[in-house]
Amino acid sequence: MRISAKADYAVRAAAELAAAAPGGRPVKGEQLASAQGIPQKFLENILSDLRTTGLVLSRRGADGGYSLTRAPAEISVAEVLRAVEGPLAAVQGTRPEGLHYRGAAARLPEVWVALRANLRAVLERVTLADLASGELPDSVVALTTDSDAWQPH
């Protein structure tokens, strides 16, 4: 799976908003960009996508900025990724359950569905609160303990 710069930046910005959530004050776009080293113009487009999908609110003015629409514990990394990139797993723009192949590739849609299930097993379990606190779910941490997981295959 390739994680685009847009997806990476969106999750990083959302994690920063989650970290700021207990204070309840909106965070300026410039602050988010600076905190995560994200180009500000690119971030503004990402925040617009997050606002359009209902994950982020924006407020203008001196006390304005961006904030999450829900508690960070209620927003998964999967939701953020879907907001900026669409479905977690698509093959040439088609959801895997809609694919039909013949011959030797007939069972390939099942592989794509299994891949999506595994992505969900991680991305839907990790919340913005987890990222902000630095405490990942045990099931996710367990996947990183195998040294082979860190090898660039």
Side-chain angles (χ1 to χ4, degrees), residues 18 21 54-55 68-80 82 123-130:
L55 292 178
L68 298 173
T69 58
R70 302 190 320 261
E74 297 174 8
I75 302 173
S76 70
V77 170
E79 284 185 82
V80 177
R82 286 185 190 109
L123 299 174
E124 289 182 352
R125 283 184 176 80
V126 178
T127 68
L128 297 181
D130 296 329

PDB file of all heavy atoms in Angstrom, residues 18 21 54-55 68-80 82 123-130:
ATOM      1  N   ALA A  18      -6.072  16.684  17.369  1.00  0.00           N
ATOM      2  CA  ALA A  18      -6.462  15.835  18.504  1.00  0.00           C
ATOM      3  C   ALA A  18      -5.676  16.201  19.753  1.00  0.00           C
ATOM      4  O   ALA A  18      -6.232  16.249  20.851  1.00  0.00           O
ATOM      5  CB  ALA A  18      -6.246  14.364  18.153  1.00  0.00           C
ATOM      6  N   ALA A  21      -7.183  19.218  21.245  1.00  0.00           N
ATOM      7  CA  ALA A  21      -8.598  19.124  21.592  1.00  0.00           C
ATOM      8  C   ALA A  21      -8.918  19.372  23.064  1.00  0.00           C
ATOM      9  O   ALA A  21      -9.908  20.041  23.351  1.00  0.00           O
ATOM     10  CB  ALA A  21      -9.159  17.771  21.150  1.00  0.00           C
ATOM     11  N   GLY A  54     -16.812  16.627   7.059  1.00  0.00           N
ATOM     12  CA  GLY A  54     -17.378  16.749   8.395  1.00  0.00           C
ATOM     13  C   GLY A  54     -16.479  16.328   9.536  1.00  0.00           C
ATOM     14  O   GLY A  54     -16.954  16.166  10.658  1.00  0.00           O
ATOM     15  N   LEU A  55     -15.186  16.182   9.294  1.00  0.00           N
ATOM     16  CA  LEU A  55     -14.270  15.816  10.381  1.00  0.00           C
ATOM     17  C   LEU A  55     -13.693  17.029  11.090  1.00  0.00           C
ATOM     18  O   LEU A  55     -13.286  16.934  12.248  1.00  0.00           O
ATOM     19  CB  LEU A  55     -13.125  14.952   9.850  1.00  0.00           C
ATOM     20  CG  LEU A  55     -13.510  13.558   9.374  1.00  0.00           C
ATOM     21  CD1 LEU A  55     -12.302  12.829   8.827  1.00  0.00           C
ATOM     22  CD2 LEU A  55     -14.138  12.762  10.502  1.00  0.00           C
ATOM     23  N   LEU A  68     -11.512  19.632  15.590  1.00  0.00           N
ATOM     24  CA  LEU A  68     -12.223  18.411  15.224  1.00  0.00           C
ATOM     25  C   LEU A  68     -13.702  18.556  15.544  1.00  0.00           C
ATOM     26  O   LEU A  68     -14.073  19.256  16.489  1.00  0.00           O
ATOM     27  CB  LEU A  68     -11.645  17.215  15.988  1.00  0.00           C
ATOM     28  CG  LEU A  68     -10.180  16.890  15.705  1.00  0.00           C
ATOM     29  CD1 LEU A  68      -9.686  15.800  16.652  1.00  0.00           C
ATOM     30  CD2 LEU A  68      -9.985  16.468  14.251  1.00  0.00           C
ATOM     31  N   THR A  69     -14.545  17.882  14.790  1.00  0.00           N
ATOM     32  CA  THR A  69     -15.994  17.943  15.026  1.00  0.00           C
ATOM     33  C   THR A  69     -16.448  16.968  16.094  1.00  0.00           C
ATOM     34  O   THR A  69     -17.557  17.100  16.609  1.00  0.00           O
ATOM     35  CB  THR A  69     -16.774  17.642  13.730  1.00  0.00           C
ATOM     36  OG1 THR A  69     -16.400  16.347  13.256  1.00  0.00           O
ATOM     37  CG2 THR A  69     -16.516  18.697  12.674  1.00  0.00           C
ATOM     38  N   ARG A  70     -15.603  15.957  16.380  1.00  0.00           N
ATOM     39  CA  ARG A  70     -15.930  14.961  17.397  1.00  0.00           C
ATOM     40  C   ARG A  70     -14.721  14.748  18.284  1.00  0.00           C
ATOM     41  O   ARG A  70     -13.620  15.187  17.971  1.00  0.00           O
ATOM     42  CB  ARG A  70     -16.323  13.633  16.739  1.00  0.00           C
ATOM     43  CG  ARG A  70     -17.494  13.747  15.782  1.00  0.00           C
ATOM     44  CD  ARG A  70     -18.054  12.393  15.308  1.00  0.00           C
ATOM     45  NE  ARG A  70     -17.122  11.350  14.998  1.00  0.00           N
ATOM     46  CZ  ARG A  70     -16.717  11.023  13.762  1.00  0.00           C
ATOM     47  NH1 ARG A  70     -17.147  11.708  12.721  1.00  0.00           N
ATOM     48  NH2 ARG A  70     -15.882  10.016  13.574  1.00  0.00           N
ATOM     49  N   ALA A  71     -14.933  14.034  19.342  1.00  0.00           N
ATOM     50  CA  ALA A  71     -13.826  13.701  20.240  1.00  0.00           C
ATOM     51  C   ALA A  71     -12.793  12.875  19.473  1.00  0.00           C
ATOM     52  O   ALA A  71     -13.158  12.034  18.646  1.00  0.00           O
ATOM     53  CB  ALA A  71     -14.343  12.906  21.439  1.00  0.00           C
ATOM     54  N   PRO A  72     -11.497  13.104  19.728  1.00  0.00           N
ATOM     55  CA  PRO A  72     -10.450  12.364  19.022  1.00  0.00           C
ATOM     56  C   PRO A  72     -10.580  10.842  19.148  1.00  0.00           C
ATOM     57  O   PRO A  72     -10.223  10.114  18.223  1.00  0.00           O
ATOM     58  CB  PRO A  72      -9.164  12.857  19.686  1.00  0.00           C
ATOM     59  CG  PRO A  72      -9.498  14.213  20.196  1.00  0.00           C
ATOM     60  CD  PRO A  72     -10.941  14.133  20.604  1.00  0.00           C
ATOM     61  N   ALA A  73     -11.130  10.360  20.247  1.00  0.00           N
ATOM     62  CA  ALA A  73     -11.306   8.913  20.442  1.00  0.00           C
ATOM     63  C   ALA A  73     -12.381   8.339  19.528  1.00  0.00           C
ATOM     64  O   ALA A  73     -12.481   7.125  19.361  1.00  0.00           O
ATOM     65  CB  ALA A  73     -11.639   8.604  21.895  1.00  0.00           C
ATOM     66  N   GLU A  74     -13.176   9.216  18.920  1.00  0.00           N
ATOM     67  CA  GLU A  74     -14.261   8.779  18.030  1.00  0.00           C
ATOM     68  C   GLU A  74     -13.879   8.852  16.556  1.00  0.00           C
ATOM     69  O   GLU A  74     -14.691   8.511  15.697  1.00  0.00           O
ATOM     70  CB  GLU A  74     -15.507   9.633  18.269  1.00  0.00           C
ATOM     71  CG  GLU A  74     -16.077   9.504  19.656  1.00  0.00           C
ATOM     72  CD  GLU A  74     -17.229  10.468  19.903  1.00  0.00           C
ATOM     73  OE1 GLU A  74     -17.687  11.133  18.941  1.00  0.00           O
ATOM     74  OE2 GLU A  74     -17.653  10.561  21.058  1.00  0.00           O
ATOM     75  N   ILE A  75     -12.667   9.304  16.253  1.00  0.00           N
ATOM     76  CA  ILE A  75     -12.250   9.454  14.856  1.00  0.00           C
ATOM     77  C   ILE A  75     -11.071   8.526  14.596  1.00  0.00           C
ATOM     78  O   ILE A  75     -10.016   8.663  15.210  1.00  0.00           O
ATOM     79  CB  ILE A  75     -11.862  10.916  14.538  1.00  0.00           C
ATOM     80  CG1 ILE A  75     -13.039  11.853  14.824  1.00  0.00           C
ATOM     81  CG2 ILE A  75     -11.403  11.039  13.084  1.00  0.00           C
ATOM     82  CD1 ILE A  75     -12.708  13.337  14.698  1.00  0.00           C
ATOM     83  N   SER A  76     -11.253   7.601  13.666  1.00  0.00           N
ATOM     84  CA  SER A  76     -10.187   6.655  13.338  1.00  0.00           C
ATOM     85  C   SER A  76      -9.291   7.215  12.226  1.00  0.00           C
ATOM     86  O   SER A  76      -9.695   8.106  11.461  1.00  0.00           O
ATOM     87  CB  SER A  76     -10.773   5.320  12.882  1.00  0.00           C
ATOM     88  OG  SER A  76     -11.395   5.457  11.616  1.00  0.00           O
ATOM     89  N   VAL A  77      -8.110   6.660  12.155  1.00  0.00           N
ATOM     90  CA  VAL A  77      -7.192   7.012  11.061  1.00  0.00           C
ATOM     91  C   VAL A  77      -7.856   6.659   9.731  1.00  0.00           C
ATOM     92  O   VAL A  77      -7.724   7.397   8.750  1.00  0.00           O
ATOM     93  CB  VAL A  77      -5.834   6.296  11.236  1.00  0.00           C
ATOM     94  CG1 VAL A  77      -4.962   6.456  10.002  1.00  0.00           C
ATOM     95  CG2 VAL A  77      -5.118   6.816  12.476  1.00  0.00           C
ATOM     96  N   ALA A  78      -8.609   5.566   9.693  1.00  0.00           N
ATOM     97  CA  ALA A  78      -9.305   5.167   8.464  1.00  0.00           C
ATOM     98  C   ALA A  78     -10.242   6.268   7.982  1.00  0.00           C
ATOM     99  O   ALA A  78     -10.299   6.551   6.774  1.00  0.00           O
ATOM    100  CB  ALA A  78     -10.081   3.871   8.694  1.00  0.00           C
ATOM    101  N   GLU A  79     -10.963   6.911   8.895  1.00  0.00           N
ATOM    102  CA  GLU A  79     -11.877   7.989   8.500  1.00  0.00           C
ATOM    103  C   GLU A  79     -11.131   9.149   7.855  1.00  0.00           C
ATOM    104  O   GLU A  79     -11.596   9.728   6.875  1.00  0.00           O
ATOM    105  CB  GLU A  79     -12.645   8.513   9.714  1.00  0.00           C
ATOM    106  CG  GLU A  79     -13.760   7.627  10.182  1.00  0.00           C
ATOM    107  CD  GLU A  79     -14.526   8.298  11.303  1.00  0.00           C
ATOM    108  OE1 GLU A  79     -15.401   9.138  11.010  1.00  0.00           O
ATOM    109  OE2 GLU A  79     -14.226   7.973  12.467  1.00  0.00           O
ATOM    110  N   VAL A  80     -10.004   9.491   8.431  1.00  0.00           N
ATOM    111  CA  VAL A  80      -9.210  10.596   7.887  1.00  0.00           C
ATOM    112  C   VAL A  80      -8.711  10.231   6.486  1.00  0.00           C
ATOM    113  O   VAL A  80      -8.811  11.035   5.561  1.00  0.00           O
ATOM    114  CB  VAL A  80      -8.036  10.959   8.820  1.00  0.00           C
ATOM    115  CG1 VAL A  80      -7.175  12.053   8.203  1.00  0.00           C
ATOM    116  CG2 VAL A  80      -8.550  11.376  10.195  1.00  0.00           C
ATOM    117  N   ARG A  82     -10.007   8.070   4.364  1.00  0.00           N
ATOM    118  CA  ARG A  82     -11.135   8.060   3.426  1.00  0.00           C
ATOM    119  C   ARG A  82     -11.551   9.473   3.040  1.00  0.00           C
ATOM    120  O   ARG A  82     -11.973   9.722   1.910  1.00  0.00           O
ATOM    121  CB  ARG A  82     -12.322   7.323   4.035  1.00  0.00           C
ATOM    122  CG  ARG A  82     -12.157   5.831   4.082  1.00  0.00           C
ATOM    123  CD  ARG A  82     -13.449   5.168   4.606  1.00  0.00           C
ATOM    124  NE  ARG A  82     -13.238   3.776   4.882  1.00  0.00           N
ATOM    125  CZ  ARG A  82     -13.194   3.251   6.104  1.00  0.00           C
ATOM    126  NH1 ARG A  82     -13.365   4.007   7.177  1.00  0.00           N
ATOM    127  NH2 ARG A  82     -12.996   1.961   6.263  1.00  0.00           N
ATOM    128  N   LEU A 123      -6.253   0.371  10.646  1.00  0.00           N
ATOM    129  CA  LEU A 123      -6.629   1.778  10.493  1.00  0.00           C
ATOM    130  C   LEU A 123      -7.934   2.162  11.178  1.00  0.00           C
ATOM    131  O   LEU A 123      -8.110   3.312  11.571  1.00  0.00           O
ATOM    132  CB  LEU A 123      -6.692   2.143   9.010  1.00  0.00           C
ATOM    133  CG  LEU A 123      -5.376   1.971   8.256  1.00  0.00           C
ATOM    134  CD1 LEU A 123      -5.574   2.222   6.773  1.00  0.00           C
ATOM    135  CD2 LEU A 123      -4.299   2.884   8.828  1.00  0.00           C
ATOM    136  N   GLU A 124      -8.853   1.218  11.343  1.00  0.00           N
ATOM    137  CA  GLU A 124     -10.100   1.536  12.035  1.00  0.00           C
ATOM    138  C   GLU A 124      -9.964   1.400  13.548  1.00  0.00           C
ATOM    139  O   GLU A 124     -10.797   1.885  14.289  1.00  0.00           O
ATOM    140  CB  GLU A 124     -11.246   0.674  11.508  1.00  0.00           C
ATOM    141  CG  GLU A 124     -11.643   1.092  10.098  1.00  0.00           C
ATOM    142  CD  GLU A 124     -12.806   0.309   9.526  1.00  0.00           C
ATOM    143  OE1 GLU A 124     -13.241  -0.692  10.143  1.00  0.00           O
ATOM    144  OE2 GLU A 124     -13.270   0.698   8.441  1.00  0.00           O
ATOM    145  N   ARG A 125      -8.901   0.746  14.003  1.00  0.00           N
ATOM    146  CA  ARG A 125      -8.686   0.590  15.445  1.00  0.00           C
ATOM    147  C   ARG A 125      -7.841   1.716  16.042  1.00  0.00           C
ATOM    148  O   ARG A 125      -7.896   1.961  17.232  1.00  0.00           O
ATOM    149  CB  ARG A 125      -8.046  -0.766  15.736  1.00  0.00           C
ATOM    150  CG  ARG A 125      -9.052  -1.888  15.646  1.00  0.00           C
ATOM    151  CD  ARG A 125      -8.461  -3.221  16.013  1.00  0.00           C
ATOM    152  NE  ARG A 125      -9.461  -4.277  16.019  1.00  0.00           N
ATOM    153  CZ  ARG A 125      -9.915  -4.902  14.948  1.00  0.00           C
ATOM    154  NH1 ARG A 125      -9.463  -4.577  13.753  1.00  0.00           N
ATOM    155  NH2 ARG A 125     -10.812  -5.860  15.051  1.00  0.00           N
ATOM    156  N   VAL A 126      -7.055   2.365  15.218  1.00  0.00           N
ATOM    157  CA  VAL A 126      -6.221   3.466  15.712  1.00  0.00           C
ATOM    158  C   VAL A 126      -7.014   4.756  15.580  1.00  0.00           C
ATOM    159  O   VAL A 126      -7.476   5.109  14.494  1.00  0.00           O
ATOM    160  CB  VAL A 126      -4.890   3.571  14.931  1.00  0.00           C
ATOM    161  CG1 VAL A 126      -4.067   4.750  15.427  1.00  0.00           C
ATOM    162  CG2 VAL A 126      -4.097   2.274  15.035  1.00  0.00           C
ATOM    163  N   THR A 127      -7.168   5.448  16.705  1.00  0.00           N
ATOM    164  CA  THR A 127      -7.907   6.713  16.701  1.00  0.00           C
ATOM    165  C   THR A 127      -6.932   7.887  16.782  1.00  0.00           C
ATOM    166  O   THR A 127      -5.750   7.716  17.093  1.00  0.00           O
ATOM    167  CB  THR A 127      -8.877   6.796  17.889  1.00  0.00           C
ATOM    168  OG1 THR A 127      -8.112   6.896  19.094  1.00  0.00           O
ATOM    169  CG2 THR A 127      -9.827   5.597  17.935  1.00  0.00           C
ATOM    170  N   LEU A 128      -7.472   9.048  16.550  1.00  0.00           N
ATOM    171  CA  LEU A 128      -6.655  10.256  16.695  1.00  0.00           C
ATOM    172  C   LEU A 128      -6.224  10.432  18.147  1.00  0.00           C
ATOM    173  O   LEU A 128      -5.122  10.922  18.411  1.00  0.00           O
ATOM    174  CB  LEU A 128      -7.418  11.475  16.194  1.00  0.00           C
ATOM    175  CG  LEU A 128      -7.764  11.459  14.704  1.00  0.00           C
ATOM    176  CD1 LEU A 128      -8.512  12.736  14.320  1.00  0.00           C
ATOM    177  CD2 LEU A 128      -6.523  11.273  13.843  1.00  0.00           C
ATOM    178  N   ALA A 129      -7.051   9.998  19.083  1.00  0.00           N
ATOM    179  CA  ALA A 129      -6.671  10.064  20.504  1.00  0.00           C
ATOM    180  C   ALA A 129      -5.470   9.161  20.768  1.00  0.00           C
ATOM    181  O   ALA A 129      -4.566   9.528  21.532  1.00  0.00           O
ATOM    182  CB  ALA A 129      -7.846   9.666  21.393  1.00  0.00           C
ATOM    183  N   ASP A 130      -5.440   7.992  20.139  1.00  0.00           N
ATOM    184  CA  ASP A 130      -4.298   7.087  20.289  1.00  0.00           C
ATOM    185  C   ASP A 130      -3.017   7.768  19.814  1.00  0.00           C
ATOM    186  O   ASP A 130      -1.986   7.715  20.490  1.00  0.00           O
ATOM    187  CB  ASP A 130      -4.495   5.798  19.486  1.00  0.00           C
ATOM    188  CG  ASP A 130      -5.663   4.949  19.959  1.00  0.00           C
ATOM    189  OD1 ASP A 130      -5.974   4.978  21.167  1.00  0.00           O
ATOM    190  OD2 ASP A 130      -6.248   4.254  19.106  1.00  0.00           O
TER     191      ASP A 130
END
